[in-house]
Amino acid sequence: VISEILRLNEDPNVQGLALDLPESLYSSKVLNAVKPEKDVDGLSSVNLGDLLRGDVCDCLVPPTVSAVMELLENLGGKTVLLVGASGAVGAALQSMLQREGAAIISCPWKAPQLQNELRHVDVVIFGSMKPDDVPLSWIKPGTAIISCSRDLLSEKCNYGQQNNSAAENAVGSLAIAMRMQNMVKTMERWIQSRQCRKWNLHCLKLQPLSPVPSDIEISRAQSPKAVDVLAKEIGLLTDEIEIYGQTKAKVRLSLLERLKDQPDGKYVLVAGITPTPLGEGKSTVTVGLVQALTAHLKINSFACLRQPSQGPTFGVKGGAAGGGYAQVIPMEEFNLHLTGDIHAITAANNLLAAAVDARILHENTQSDKSLYNRLVPVVNGVRGFSPIQLARLRKLGINKTDPETLTEEEISKFARLDIDPSTITWQRVVDTNDRFLRRITIGQANTEKGFVRQAQFDIAVASEIMAILALTSSLQDMKERLGKMVVANDKKGEPVTAEDLGVTGALSVLMKDAIKPTLMQTLEGTPVFVHAGPFANIAHGNSSVLADKIALKLVGEKGFVVTEAGFGADIGMEKFFNIKCRASGLFPSVVVLVATVRALKMHGGGPNVTAGAPLKKEYTEENLQLVADGCCNLQKQIQITQLFGVPVVVALNIFKTDSPAEVDLVCKIAKQSGAFDAVPCNHWSAGGRGAVKLAQAVEKAANQKNSFKYLYSLELPIVEKIRIIAQKVYGAQDIELSPVAQSQVDRYTRQGFGNLPICMAKTHLSLSHQPERKGVPTGFILPISDVRASIGAGFIYPLVGTMSTMPGLPTRPCFYDIDLDPITEQVKGLF
């Protein structure tokens, strides 16, 4: 019985459970197996507890009890005897009768004082079948008698015995009606739970300290809410989350179907000026802004962030959970393995890489017949094609399903991919900064029979599978994109895909959980989605479309979803608009452009900023001239935003060394340059309270006229789209393609991939291709050294200059400071 109840609990098509069981099976274990929200009979401990506390509106009253109360009226001052009424029904009866002002006496059938009690009460309620040895003559004439045993709901009781002027009122039919009423109430609640509403969110209190402690100390000082509590507060149903520990949960995509008719909230993008190597705090601004909106302005809001790569976490940049009193918690879980999405991407990517090399080896060492017999083996006396092999046959124009009927020519055509090793573009990945994997030789073992080639590793977040995760709209869409990934060309110059290799289904299996966004929370208990983590310099640099879409439904029409684009507006924001918005069909209401006095001084001619080295005095002392000169980069980034027709609010991330005059100067120049508003922000030291003015400015800007437009048409030639980005966004005079890059452009155009958007792989440290050129470089020719294609993700990506897809470790990486306490298991030194 319990197994069946548990099964029905998880069935989304069942909204209520009513139990008709033998008396012997009505144990608390059985009753409490029913989910409280599906408990039509109101007999679970949760429902009963709400009833006993007086929360009648929040619970379902047991049908039999409701029927009794319908029959009885004007109970004030009367004495009611409950006989044989025990368990949940007895407790519920007592609670409801006392609420109506009756005096309650309860006793079992075999109580010695029963006969005496029956002669003095005004109402008798039989909680179970009356034994024959208790005659009705014991009951005082005129006493109201009500029988309410469990089998009333199955209509198995006897009715209509008389005792002088007293009528024994059987409640069977009425109890059935009350159960139906509970079913209606359960359905009403279910429908209401699927509608968007203003959140009843319990925000966590902050007590900021000065000086501000380290990020990990701040994170540990706050006690996060249990993630299932947070999920319920924001309108997620229990069957829509998969809990990972106490503070993380995956959210199922079924939510999108449930809320498909709900209007979206406002969409906000956080971008930035060209940063220093230290970063300027876009993640911190994103978190501070949602803390201000939800915890202080009481507006539903969601932050959507990328999952950080382990490479920078142990390298030089550190994590991406925000910082100070505006961060995602627990920050060590956020910055390390999280829910394993990057590991899933690594496994899927490397499975495909292994499949490519293994297929070449097997084709080189076997005849057509041997190859075919191994690809389509006899299993239990039967030989058949797998579904993905049938799809390949259809692609080849072979309309056969019986393996024995293929001709020799068709067997050769089916079995041989004829991959040209010199054209392989699919690389292995690892989520570690390892410069010595930038160029490697594979296949040196004797078992590989001389098949040796040059290859490389990329950082895991540069994998096309990561880009697909970030841009996909559903499980079916992801599967189709994975199948379209081009790994090489064959010897005729035609593309070879993951689908051709027969690995699409396996990749989808590895990625089936990674497609679900991970729910976490900020320091002030507001919700955050963490999902996907493509770099912005070597990929498109934005969190997932799915996380944004789910969040936009959950916040409701008046709420806000705040997402972040990596690095400067020229990198992450441009790709957000031209790639992510095209994939999602979503358009932002406002852009928040993050700037710092530190970065502006660097662009104004200040000395180099180096990670791990102390800042020079130019950055710690007031210098209005450096700030004014450096604002040219801020002005350029505002102009880039205006190319897309979206209002921009400048958020000046305040550091303790910034002077009031420097802050005022930046805000003044920003407004003069076309920003809707420019606001100094202190969320790092004060939490959401320090970003309230920013939140108010964003709310106003989101109501401004929005004339969003793309930068270029997809119908333009690949080279022309690259030129538009170089000239209009970076400020280049022109572009110059290497012979290799031009050859690739010609090949992709010939293969039918010319109508894809462009994803530039370029340094984030300058508007140009030269990291040392700060401010707003002009007159430069942008060199395109190579052009590659991510067909599954849906973009062409040119490599600018000597851009590397595998970062290296510095002389002193962050890992020197990271340690584990073996007693408490706490992580030390993580930022």
Side-chain angles (χ1 to χ4, degrees), residues 282-303:
K282 290 190 308 302
S283 299
T284 311
V285 169
T286 301
V287 175
L289 176 54
V290 295
Q291 288 182 181
L293 284 165
T294 302
H296 299 274
L297 298 183
K298 308 305 178 186
I299 298 171
N300 290 359
S301 74
F302 231 112

Side-chain angles (χ1 to χ4, degrees), residues 4 18 55 85 194 199 228 244 279 301 388 426 526 539 544 546 613 709 743 753 755 765 804 823 829-830:
E4 181 64 11
D55 300 331
R194 274 155 172 73
W199 298 340
D228 58 330
Y244 286 63
S301 74
I388 201 165
W426 194 264
T526 67
S544 79
L546 280 170
K709 56 184 177 294
S743 173
F753 304 139
N755 290 342
L765 297 173
S804 173
I823 306 300
L830 197 62

Side-chain angles (χ1 to χ4, degrees), residues 360-373:
I360 295 173
L361 172 68
H362 294 311
E363 288 188 22
N364 285 345
T365 56
Q366 297 179 51
S367 65
D368 289 353
K369 185 177 180 181
S370 297
L371 196 60
Y372 184 66
N373 287 338

